[in-house]
Amino acid sequence: MRIISLFLLFLSVTTYAQNAPEPYGALPSKRQLGWHDVEVYGLIHFTPTTFENKEWGFGDADPKTFNPANFDAEQIIAAAKAGGLKGIILVAKHHDGFALWPTKTTDYNITKSPFRNGKGDLVKEVEQAVRKAGLKFGIYCSPWDRNNPLYGTDKYLAIYQAQLKELYGNYGELFMSWHDGANGGDGYYGGAREKRSIDNTTYYDWTNTWGITRKMQPMANIFSDIGLDIRWVGNEDGHAAETNWATFTPMPPKGKNVAVPGQANYPESPEGIRNGKFWMPAECDVPLRKGWFYHPTEKPKSPEMLFDLYLKSVGRGAGLDLGLAPDTRGQLHDDDVLALKTFGEMVKKTFANNLAKNASITASNTRGKGYLVDKLIDNNKETYWASTDNNHTASLEINLKSPKTFDIVSLQEYIPLGQRVEAYNIEILENNSWKKIYDGTSIGAKRLIKFDQPLTTKKVKINITQSPVCITLSEIGLYKKSL
Ligand code: FUL
Ligand code: CA
């Protein structure tokens, strides 16, 4: 009797599609899932500040200084695409206040420059090149404006909001709206040349300002240092902490009751917060060169270094936002083009061949039809293996059939159902016994584990040792770094 019922249970589990696991904790929105797909994107800084060889323009540069000898959006975007970037955010207005589009909101804009004889729209040119290349487009419009005479008064917010409306209304669908936290301080302010401080908890009325974003650009992920859709990782070095949760709870600073941009930097930003209230994955922003703007004496990071940052950002479930700095010609320097190209090839070649793709995998537990182990190596992150509801630990044995040499293990959770795994380890079979080679914590959207030395083995085990609920894994990969 017992045997028969066990057999029937086996039959029903393997033959009939099982229910999907219940989601766990804070979940990503559709908009955020779109952002996770992008993984690596760029942030272009190119304003009069480039021509002043500065990082922060004071807001007093003559618009005539904005005079690129040979601006070429397609050159910049082609280089970005070769680097594997899948999105581009353009700084449409930096702290210096110069608008790169023909705005009605301020005279301090591109029509007052010699660019295209005052008839140009650099935002449009970049947007068109980005779309032509099949990339996603986003906008950065600095709230702090060191040129505007009204900055610091109660009249400025309407100007900032009108700028956002122009940008949201005229350049197609945006994947990101990037809101910087740098706020107030000294500036030109229409000639006043003084210091202006604002109360950043109230001045920008973020609730209503971001209401405009939601209404006009529902698919735009709002980035700010304290999050909303995407949180700042807490440094501008391009990496997340080794344990990295996509969930977060923005907390007001001491003595305040709201958390608003410009106040981040609390210790939790790099790691996120386990069981935080919101899905707010981290963006790791870092300039390709030393500065965000082009400076002739600086050099781009090496492809090796970029690859390392990729492992420590995308490979920790975060996004990599790489600063691109066109030079005074209005193009990326040859050194940058080469660094991007080599980095792009490194990522592409390394991850082209999953050495586990023909493996046979056995799981200590499986939910059943629809969630079988074949889903772990079907190169599709929308399909996943899952354990049954009451199995919160599991072991996956990957039989590679013949010895394979790899130095990167890749794991992905099925994040539409939340971030579930809290601890796992990896073992390889060496001289007929299992040897532990790694102990890990968070997985999330993607976890890339890089080993200093290549490992050769016929069998690998992934042991999920801690999870509050049943497990979902959408992909497992073994790779050998190329180049
Ligand atoms: C910072 C700004 O102050 C920098 O100038 C740059 O735009 C960077 C991306 O964000 O906070
Ligand atoms: Ca899959």
Side-chain angles (χ1 to χ4, degrees):
M1 202 45 207
R2 213 182 128 79
I3 290 184
I4 293 176
S5 59
L6 271 177
F7 178 71
L8 288 177
L9 179 72
F10 171 79
L11 214 68
S12 75
V13 160
T14 49
T15 320
Y16 302 109
Q18 303 297 304
N19 289 339
E22 287 294 316
Y24 174 77
L27 301 176
S29 62
K30 196 172 156 230
R31 169 170 61 229
Q32 289 169 316
L33 288 171
W35 176 86
H36 278 287
D37 288 342
V38 179
E39 295 191 337
V40 191
Y41 46 97
L43 178 57
I44 299 177
H45 284 75
F46 183 56
T47 76
T49 308
T50 308
F51 299 83
E52 295 181 291
N53 197 17
K54 285 185 184 168
E55 274 293 297
W56 276 9
F58 194 70
D60 61 349
D62 188 324
K64 294 195 172 53
T65 58
F66 189 75
N67 190 14
N70 196 2
F71 177 74
D72 186 348
E74 292 196 6
Q75 188 264 5
I76 299 166
I77 302 310
K81 192 172 176 173
L85 280 63
K86 297 210 272 300
I88 290 290
I89 303 165
L90 174 68
V91 176
K93 183 189 88 169
H94 198 242
H95 309 327
D96 69 324
F98 186 81
L100 292 175
W101 75 103
T103 176
K104 295 193 180 78
T105 62
T106 171
D107 278 347
Y108 199 50
N109 73 53
I110 199 150
T111 63
K112 300 288 183 297
S113 81
F115 180 72
R116 313 274 185 250
N117 296 319
K119 303 218 156 40
D121 180 347
L122 197 130
V123 179
K124 192 83 229 153
E125 288 191 31
V126 173
E127 188 235 341
Q128 282 176 346
V130 165
R131 304 225 186 263
K132 197 169 149 197
L135 274 49
K136 293 187 176 179
F137 188 54
I139 286 287
Y140 166 139
C141 185
S142 170
W144 183 24
D145 188 322
R146 302 175 93 188
N147 172 269
N148 205 293
L150 294 173
Y151 186 81
T153 73
D154 57 4
K155 295 200 174 64
Y156 172 74
L157 180 61
I159 297 172
Y160 181 57
Q161 292 184 341
Q163 293 178 341
L164 291 178
K165 285 182 191 161
E166 290 180 352
L167 292 167
Y168 293 159
N170 296 324
Y171 302 94
E173 188 178 86
L174 305 176
F175 86 108
M176 282 193 92
S177 186
W178 213 97
H179 299 265
D180 189 71
N183 273 305
D186 59 352
Y188 177 68
Y189 304 127
R193 294 184 180 275
E194 62 189 8
K195 191 164 177 224
R196 294 191 180 169
S197 342
I198 48 113
D199 175 359
N200 62 9
T201 59
T202 52
Y203 190 63
Y204 301 108
D205 186 13
W206 286 116
T207 312
N208 289 309
T209 302
W210 282 338
I212 302 170
T213 318
R214 289 293 192 238
K215 195 163 159 234
M216 295 185 70
Q217 288 287 345
M219 288 310 282
N221 285 277
I222 297 175
F223 167 95
S224 84
D225 53 0
I226 54 125
L228 195 60
D229 295 307
I230 310 297
R231 74 175 195 269
W232 185 45
V233 78
N235 64 63
E236 288 189 347
D237 304 325
H239 52 78
E242 185 146 7
T243 293
N244 180 35
W245 307 110
T247 49
F248 200 62
T249 313
M251 273 178 297
K254 266 206 175 88
K256 304 274 182 183
N257 52 11
V258 276
V260 293
Q263 299 176 340
N265 225 357
Y266 33 81
E268 290 92 343
S269 299
E271 271 208 10
I273 297 175
R274 179 58 178 152
N275 298 319
K277 245 180 162 162
F278 306 101
W279 188 271
M280 279 186 189
E283 175 194 283
C284 306
D285 61 333
V286 61
L288 177 58
R289 296 174 159 242
K290 189 161 169 283
W292 292 101
F293 282 90
Y294 180 82
H295 308 290
T297 52
E298 294 174 358
K299 288 269 171 221
K301 295 181 174 56
S302 68
E304 277 296 330
M305 210 173 154
L306 295 172
F307 190 81
D308 183 57
L309 293 179
Y310 175 83
L311 295 172
K312 291 175 175 158
S313 54
V314 175
R316 292 175 175 176
L320 178 60
D321 182 3
L322 205 51
L324 303 177
D327 58 20
T328 53
R329 292 173 308 162
Q331 298 184 25
L332 291 184
H333 190 281
D334 284 351
D335 291 346
D336 302 41
V337 173
L338 184 63
L340 285 165
K341 181 169 178 273
T342 315
F343 163 62
E345 281 169 0
M346 239 180 218
V347 173
K348 214 168 152 189
K349 282 194 187 154
T350 298
F351 296 101
N353 185 21
N354 182 358
L355 297 163
K357 68 171 182 278
N358 298 318
S360 64
I361 304 181
T362 41
S364 59
N365 168 269
T366 283
R367 194 170 190 85
K369 200 175 172 217
Y371 307 95
L372 300 175
V373 287
D374 57 328
K375 301 286 188 273
L376 288 163
I377 44 172
D378 64 354
N379 194 24
N380 176 2
K381 69 175 182 175
E382 305 305 327
T383 62
Y384 57 98
W385 160 85
S387 63
T388 55
D389 286 344
N390 46 14
N391 274 282
H392 302 177
T393 61
S395 193
L396 295 160
E397 190 175 315
I398 305 160
N399 182 348
L400 300 167
K401 294 169 193 164
S402 60
K404 298 267 153 63
T405 301
F406 60 89
D407 54 9
I408 295 173
V409 176
S410 169
L411 302 172
Q412 287 173 258
E413 282 186 87
Y414 182 67
I415 56 168
L417 295 180
Q419 186 161 16
R420 308 162 81 94
V421 174
E422 292 176 341
Y424 63 96
N425 63 59
I426 305 173
E427 294 175 283
I428 56 168
L429 195 68
E430 203 176 76
N431 302 323
N432 283 322
S433 62
W434 288 105
K435 179 182 160 196
K436 196 185 335 174
I437 52 163
Y438 188 77
D439 257 310
T441 50
S442 57
I443 297 179
K446 192 175 267 182
R447 171 60 49 163
L448 299 172
I449 303 133
K450 172 82 175 56
F451 298 93
D452 292 340
Q453 297 301 325
L455 303 157
T456 302
T457 184
K458 253 164 108 167
K459 285 186 180 175
V460 180
K461 241 196 241 178
I462 314 285
N463 306 305
I464 308 291
T465 54
Q466 196 181 313
S467 169
V469 284
C470 68
I471 307 153
T472 72
L473 281 184
S474 57
E475 285 294 301
I476 286 184
L478 303 176
Y479 300 98
K480 173 75 189 63
K481 187 176 171 226
S482 296
L483 284 184

